[in-house]
Amino acid sequence: MFSRKPGNQEDSAHPFACFCQKSEIEFLNNRISADLSRRGFVTGMAASMLTLILPKLASAQTAPLPVSPTRPVLFTNIRLFDGKTGTLRDGLSVLVDGNRIHSVTPGKPAVADGTQIIDGGGRVLMPGLIDMHWHTIIAALPLQAVLTADIGFLHLAASAEAERTLMRGFTTVRDAGGPSFALKQAIDQGIISGPRIYPSGAMITTTGGHADFRSLADIPRSGGKLSSSEQTGGSIIADNADEVRQRVREQFLQGASQIKIVGSGGVSTPRSPLDMLTFTEPQLRAAVETTADWGTYVMVHAYTPPAVQRAIAAGAQCIEHAHLMDDATAALMAKNGTWLSIQPFVSEEDTVPLTGPSHEKMLAVFAGTNNAYTLAKKHGIKTAFGSDLLFSPVLAARQGTMLTHLLSWYTPAQALKMATATNGQLLALSGPRNPYPGKLGVIEDGAMADLLLVDGNPVENLALLADPSKNLLVIMKDGTIHKNTLKV
């Protein structure tokens, strides 16, 4: 069904002639990308539906849907936080051409006719924020809706939240598990507005591990039947090394930039205690080795010292959470250069209301947060910022507030560096699987043009970023202005 006669003799002369540029084949390839599986088809349909309803939603959007930049943009009269240094630099201008920063130069350089000039009025220009632990599909939806609603509804709701995420100044997120491929495609093609998404695909877990959301009525699994969470791509179960390899490859087949492996119990799954272990070390190593074959890395969900240590022994390059780690585990992470992607959970305001075992586990995580950050600083662990806000539009709106929680351990400048340049370094570990090759989280020549103009000085007052609707005057992602409230 994919065959096609060559259009000319030059095409037919080569036994492996490629017809990828032909319109029919190109269309077919695009459909294959969206239709790899049942969930891919449905999520692809959800993204396609957006094109039909966008005119109706336009009035409800925070900003009109932007168009691709057609002329350079010069930011002048600014104070620059470049993501790399802890101080502001004055007397500079930033020229954006296309989706890249063309130059950072002193004064106001001569520019081509037609260049859009944005006078910052002495305000701070900084890189777009990066959230390294975000769930784009389920961040703003109640858990019951996530478990029972039609997948098309989930994607439509997620598309609205994606724009709100961008309007909070988060121009990039690393999706930490879920069927975000179609949403990413819709954003990348300009169908909807939203942050760059580094997708992990389904969270890979064992039977009984965190992300095994099956009801007791679904146990035991019979005839290979998949649960609803597995069918929609939220999570997938693997119970031996070969299954792990298969599940990892399936996520890459759909476009994952890195892989999420569940190495311990979790808070939101009441029947998976935090101290339980899921995969054996050889099984974890199967995931790490398969991921390395694709040139990228594994992020392992793990809270306790045994879970973190097992992941490190298997070669994992990034640990998610680790709130309950001890001094020996922190020292091991530092020795191996393992990344820590941790979330500054400090109170019940940072989560939806939980009961029973989940509430007890939540309190244990809160109790461990201060110690985990203290150990990370003591041992010089490479530490990334993420928020991991789930199941509530009210909580999702606190993304910038979560960043301010870092002030318990870091200066505002250190927190800003973590949420920009440092997070950008972790994203770069995806290597050839990086969907957005180019420097993120910094303002320098050649970097991706993700920029925020802040009404105030976040290097001194980080709380400005907790009120983005008021304090973010300009939001640019990929060289395109998505918000500009300055008078022009």
Side-chain angles (χ1 to χ4, degrees):
M1 62 182 289
F2 299 110
S3 63
R4 173 178 172 151
K5 292 182 179 180
N8 55 55
Q9 289 190 351
E10 183 180 353
D11 287 337
S12 60
H14 197 287
F16 301 106
C18 175
F19 308 106
C20 297
Q21 299 306 314
K22 305 299 183 181
S23 58
E24 296 91 338
I25 300 299
E26 185 176 357
F27 171 80
L28 199 54
N29 284 339
N30 289 338
R31 291 311 309 156
I32 291 172
S33 297
D35 299 345
L36 286 168
S37 62
R38 175 184 179 275
R39 65 173 173 270
F41 172 77
V42 178
T43 55
M45 286 298 294
S48 299
M49 288 167 60
L50 290 170
T51 61
L52 302 178
I53 67 168
L54 273 175
K56 299 178 182 179
L57 292 180
S59 61
Q61 291 183 337
T62 306
L65 195 66
V67 297
S68 299
T70 57
R71 55 177 177 158
V73 179
L74 178 70
F75 290 89
T76 188
N77 192 16
I78 58 165
R79 309 186 70 196
L80 183 67
F81 173 75
D82 62 10
K84 300 175 291 184
T85 59
T87 58
L88 300 180
R89 298 159 59 193
D90 296 318
L92 298 174
S93 293
V94 176
L95 178 62
V96 174
D97 193 359
N99 69 341
R100 301 275 178 160
I101 296 172
H102 179 272
S103 60
V104 179
T105 56
K108 184 177 179 180
V111 293
D113 291 343
T115 298
Q116 180 180 358
I117 298 177
I118 297 179
D119 186 332
R123 300 179 180 91
V124 172
L125 187 71
M126 62 171 285
L129 296 167
I130 301 171
D131 192 325
M132 293 302 289
H133 197 111
W134 189 248
H135 294 273
T136 53
I137 304 300
I138 61 177
L141 282 172
L143 178 58
Q144 190 62 26
V146 172
L147 295 177
T148 61
D150 181 86
I151 186 64
F153 170 78
L154 299 185
H155 278 267
L156 291 172
S159 70
E161 182 57 34
E163 179 173 6
R164 292 192 288 268
T165 302
L166 180 59
M167 289 299 104
R168 291 191 288 268
F170 286 87
T171 53
T172 301
V173 298
R174 184 181 62 167
D175 190 276
S180 61
F181 300 115
L183 180 62
K184 173 187 179 299
Q185 183 180 17
I187 292 171
D188 290 349
Q189 293 185 4
I191 298 173
I192 59 175
S193 295
R196 304 172 187 273
I197 298 176
Y198 281 72
S200 301
M203 294 179 281
I204 302 175
T205 187
T206 60
T207 296
H210 177 61
D212 182 353
F213 293 109
R214 292 178 299 169
S215 68
L216 293 178
D218 294 327
I219 301 173
R221 186 196 296 259
S222 59
K225 182 179 179 181
L226 298 179
S227 65
S228 59
S229 177
E230 292 177 290
Q231 290 175 18
T232 57
S235 61
I236 194 73
I237 294 171
D239 283 317
N240 60 57
D242 284 341
E243 286 182 344
V244 169
R245 294 185 183 94
Q246 178 181 353
R247 299 314 183 193
V248 167
R249 290 165 180 154
E250 287 171 348
Q251 307 321 305
F252 285 132
L253 182 63
Q254 296 172 86
S257 52
Q258 67 284 318
I259 297 296
K260 170 76 172 291
I261 298 288
V262 174
S264 75
V267 173
S268 60
T269 41
R271 294 190 294 272
S272 65
L274 286 180
D275 63 344
M276 72 161 290
L277 298 173
T278 54
F279 296 102
T280 65
E281 184 179 323
Q283 290 167 350
L284 286 172
R285 190 175 296 111
V288 171
E289 291 174 349
T290 306
T291 303
D293 287 344
W294 283 75
T296 181
Y297 69 101
V298 165
M299 47 193 288
V300 179
H301 163 109
Y303 281 101
T304 63
V308 174
Q309 292 176 22
R310 179 177 290 185
I312 294 173
Q317 292 174 275
C318 182
I319 303 296
E320 301 298 309
H321 310 308
H323 290 79
L324 306 183
M325 69 178 175
D326 55 19
D327 189 84
T329 304
L332 182 64
M333 290 187 69
K335 177 182 178 182
N336 284 271
T338 308
W339 278 86
L340 171 64
S341 173
I342 185 172
Q343 306 75 45
F345 293 126
V346 296
S347 74
E348 296 195 37
E349 291 185 347
D350 297 332
T351 71
V352 293
L354 297 172
T355 60
S358 289
H359 184 258
E360 295 173 6
K361 291 185 287 185
M362 176 186 69
L363 294 179
V365 169
F366 291 157
T369 297
N370 179 66
N371 183 59
Y373 275 103
T374 301
L375 289 174
K377 290 188 67 177
K378 172 185 175 182
H379 291 280
I381 298 173
K382 295 181 291 187
T383 305
F385 164 77
S387 62
D388 197 19
L389 298 171
L390 293 169
F391 309 134
S392 166
V394 176
L395 281 178
R398 286 169 52 86
Q399 208 170 4
T401 299
M402 290 293 288
L403 182 61
T404 68
H405 289 351
L406 293 177
L407 296 177
S408 294
W409 308 280
Y410 303 97
T411 67
Q414 290 171 331
L416 284 176
K417 288 172 63 177
M418 186 183 297
T420 54
T422 299
N423 278 0
Q425 291 171 13
L426 177 50
L427 290 174
L429 286 186
S430 55
R433 303 285 78 77
N434 189 339
Y436 312 104
K439 277 196 173 184
L440 291 170
V442 297
I443 298 178
E444 63 179 43
D445 293 4
M448 306 300 284
D450 295 353
L451 303 171
L452 308 176
L453 186 68
V454 187
D455 192 12
N457 183 1
V459 174
E460 295 179 351
N461 182 12
L462 193 62
L464 292 168
L465 299 180
D467 191 357
S469 62
K470 175 183 177 182
N471 299 316
L472 296 184
L473 305 184
V474 177
I475 298 174
M476 171 183 280
K477 188 203 101 178
D478 207 33
T480 297
I481 296 174
H482 291 257
K483 177 183 178 181
N484 184 359
T485 61
L486 295 176
K487 294 181 179 180
V488 293

